[in-house]
Amino acid sequence: MGKVFWGIFFLLFIYMGVPFLLTRVFGIGVIKRGSSLHRLAFTFDDGPDPVYTPRLLELLRTYGVKATFFVVGEKAKRHPELIRRIHEEGHAIGIHNYVHHPNWFLSPLRLRRDLDETAAYIQSITGERPLFYRPPWGLLSLADLFLLRPYRLTIWSLMGWDWGKKTSPVRLKMRLLHKIRGGEIILLHDSGETAGADPTAPERMMIALEETLREIRHWGYEYVPLNKLMEEDEDFSVKRMLPFWKRGFAHLFILYDKALRFLLGVRPIQKRDDFFYVRVIHYHGQRIGMEDGETIEKGDLILEIHLNNELLFKLGLRSRSRMQLVIQLIREVEKSLPVIAELLETHPKYRLVKGLYGISLVNRGVKPFGFSVLDLPKGLLSHLIRYYLRFLMFAVHPRGGERLKTKTDLLVPKIMVMSRKEILKRYGKGKESSPLTSLNTSVS
C-alpha cells in the first residue's frame, strides 16, 4: 500500500509539481515579466463582467492605459459587445480558459479544444486571434507545456491579491506603489464571480488602481498591452550580447555581496528588491557639516545606506543606453526616499538616527534629492574604498570594463549624506514639496 501511495505521489509531482516549479518559481517556458525600463503591462483576469468591465475601460481611457484582458470563454460568449469594445479601444485580449477551472483537473485534449474554440469565437468578433494564454491560478500541467505551445503561456511578476475581502484599496495601492518597476506584468481582476473571490472586490481594485495611476503618472511609464511589452525582449537583449564569463563573474560577485551584507547586518528597507539596503550604526568619522546647517558628530546614530548591486546589474542589462539607466535610477531613488522617511517618522529603531550616510561612485546628480556630497578624507582607507568600488563597477556594470577606461577622473568615491531634518522635510508626511518629477543629470 505504501509503494502505491508513493508511486501516485511521484506521478502527481511530475505532472503538477514540476511544471509549477518551472513556471511559477523559475519562470521557465512562460512569459513572467518584460525587460523594458519604461513600459508596464496591466492585465485583468476573469472578465468580461457587465458591471465592472465597462467602468474599468473608462478608467483606463482616462489615464491612457492600454491593457490586456484575459477573458473566460463562456463569459465572452455571453457578452460579445464587451469583447468588441475591449478590442476597439486598443487593448489586447488573451484567454483564461473557457470556464474558470484549474488545468490540473481538466483533460489536456479537452482544454486545448476549449482554448481553440474560445480563440475562434474571439477572432470572429475582433478579426484577431488571441495570442496569450494565462491558466487560472497560474497552474499548468506537464501536458500543457507541450500541447498549448501555439499560445504564449503567460503568468505575472506582480500580483495584486485584489480579489479578497481583506484587501482594502489602501493596502492594494501601497502594494502596487512599492513594487511597480519597468517591465512588470501586473495581475488584477475585473470580475469577482470566481470561486474564492469577493463579488465586490473589483470595486476596491478600481479605487486603488485610479489612485496608483495618479501617483505614478510622473514616473514616465508607458502602459502597454503584452505584445508591446515583449517587443523589446524580442528585438534587443543586452544579456545575449554579454559574454558568458562576464555573467558568471557578476553572479559570483553578487553572491559574495549578499553574504557580506548579511554578516554586516545590512538589510533591505522593506523587501529584497529594494534599491537601498540599510543598517543603523554609530558614526566614527570626522565631523560632517551639511548644507542645511545640520551636523553629524562622532558617536551619532546614522542610517548607513548601500546600493542593491544585484538590482543595479539587472537595470544595466535592461538598459539600451546610459540615459535609460539614469531614468531608472532616478525612479528607484524617488520611490525609496519616502519609504525611508516613513521609517524615520514611525519606527522606534530609527527614532534617534541623525541622518543618511553612504559612500558611492554613483554620486553625480544626487544633490537635487537633498544629499550633500563630500570628499572622502585622504588616507589609506580612501584608497582602499576607491579600488573596491572600481572593482564593484567592473563586476556589476554590464560594460564595467569599458566604463573604467573612460572619464576615470569622474570615478571618485564620495560621501553622500542627508540630515534627518532634510529627509523629513522633503519626503515625510509633512513634506514641503513633491518628489522630483524630472532630473537633468547623468551618472558615472
Side-chain angles (χ1 to χ4, degrees), residues 340-392:
I340 293 177
E342 183 180 355
L343 289 177
L344 293 180
E345 288 178 317
T346 62
H347 200 294
K349 179 180 178 181
Y350 303 98
R351 184 170 56 88
L352 298 178
V353 166
K354 292 287 293 293
L356 309 184
Y357 176 95
I359 300 174
S360 178
L361 289 176
V362 185
N363 50 58
R364 298 176 61 210
V366 300
K367 286 187 176 182
F369 289 104
F371 285 100
S372 297
V373 180
L374 309 169
D375 292 329
L376 274 171
K378 293 183 179 180
L380 177 61
L381 181 61
S382 175
H383 285 290
L384 291 176
I385 291 174
R386 178 170 184 168
Y387 285 120
Y388 173 75
L389 292 178
R390 287 169 67 89
F391 175 75
L392 186 151

Side-chain angles (χ1 to χ4, degrees), residues 47-48 71-89 91-95 98 116-130:
V71 302
V72 176
E74 63 175 359
K75 291 185 177 181
K77 287 190 174 182
R78 290 203 301 267
H79 305 288
E81 74 286 353
L82 291 178
I83 297 298
R84 184 175 297 107
R85 180 177 172 184
I86 290 170
H87 173 73
E88 289 176 349
E89 295 191 10
H91 305 287
I93 298 176
I95 303 176
Y98 183 76
D116 289 346
E117 179 184 340
T118 302
Y121 179 75
I122 292 172
Q123 185 176 14
S124 70
I125 297 174
T126 66
E128 294 184 9
R129 190 174 181 85

Side-chain angles (χ1 to χ4, degrees), residues 54-255:
R55 293 172 56 191
L56 176 60
L57 288 170
E58 291 297 329
L59 173 61
L60 299 180
R61 179 190 295 174
T62 299
Y63 286 90
V65 177
K66 300 301 181 184
T68 303
F69 287 78
F70 284 94
V71 302
V72 176
E74 63 175 359
K75 291 185 177 181
K77 287 190 174 182
R78 290 203 301 267
H79 305 288
E81 74 286 353
L82 291 178
I83 297 298
R84 184 175 297 107
R85 180 177 172 184
I86 290 170
H87 173 73
E88 289 176 349
E89 295 191 10
H91 305 287
I93 298 176
I95 303 176
H96 196 48
N97 279 7
Y98 183 76
V99 291
H100 198 280
H101 292 162
N103 289 15
W104 287 352
F105 307 116
L106 296 174
S107 159
L109 292 177
R110 173 60 186 273
L111 173 63
R112 175 62 190 274
R113 287 198 298 268
D114 284 349
L115 294 186
D116 289 346
E117 179 184 340
T118 302
Y121 179 75
I122 292 172
Q123 185 176 14
S124 70
I125 297 174
T126 66
E128 294 184 9
R129 190 174 181 85
L131 179 64
F132 298 95
Y133 167 66
R134 175 181 284 158
W137 296 288
L139 301 178
L140 289 161
S141 71
L142 190 63
D144 295 338
L145 298 180
F146 300 97
L147 293 178
L148 304 184
R149 276 301 161 193
Y151 301 94
R152 303 191 68 177
L153 308 182
T154 307
I155 51 174
W156 57 85
S157 60
L158 200 172
M159 182 188 289
W161 300 93
D162 57 315
W163 62 85
K165 291 183 179 180
K166 295 183 178 180
T167 301
S168 66
V170 173
R171 179 179 293 184
L172 176 56
K173 171 189 169 183
M174 296 309 297
R175 183 179 296 130
L176 295 175
L177 288 178
H178 287 165
K179 294 187 176 183
I180 280 178
R181 286 190 172 87
E184 299 285 7
I185 297 176
I186 303 164
L187 169 59
L188 299 168
H189 298 79
D190 61 329
S191 175
E193 295 181 349
T194 53
D198 178 50
T200 62
E203 182 79 39
R204 297 191 295 277
M205 181 276 292
M206 286 190 286
I207 294 172
L209 178 60
E210 181 169 16
E211 293 180 359
T212 299
L213 292 172
R214 190 182 302 124
E215 288 272 345
I216 69 173
R217 58 185 170 187
H218 70 274
W219 292 3
Y221 288 123
E222 181 185 2
Y223 315 114
V224 297
L226 277 172
N227 57 310
K228 292 290 185 181
L229 180 72
M230 303 312 298
E231 280 179 350
E232 293 185 19
D233 293 68
E234 294 161 355
D235 296 342
F236 179 84
S237 175
V238 178
K239 182 179 283 189
R240 287 196 291 268
M241 298 169 60
L242 205 61
F244 176 79
W245 70 267
K246 173 68 174 180
R247 296 201 302 271
F249 182 78
H251 288 302
L252 286 175
F253 182 84
I254 288 169
L255 287 175

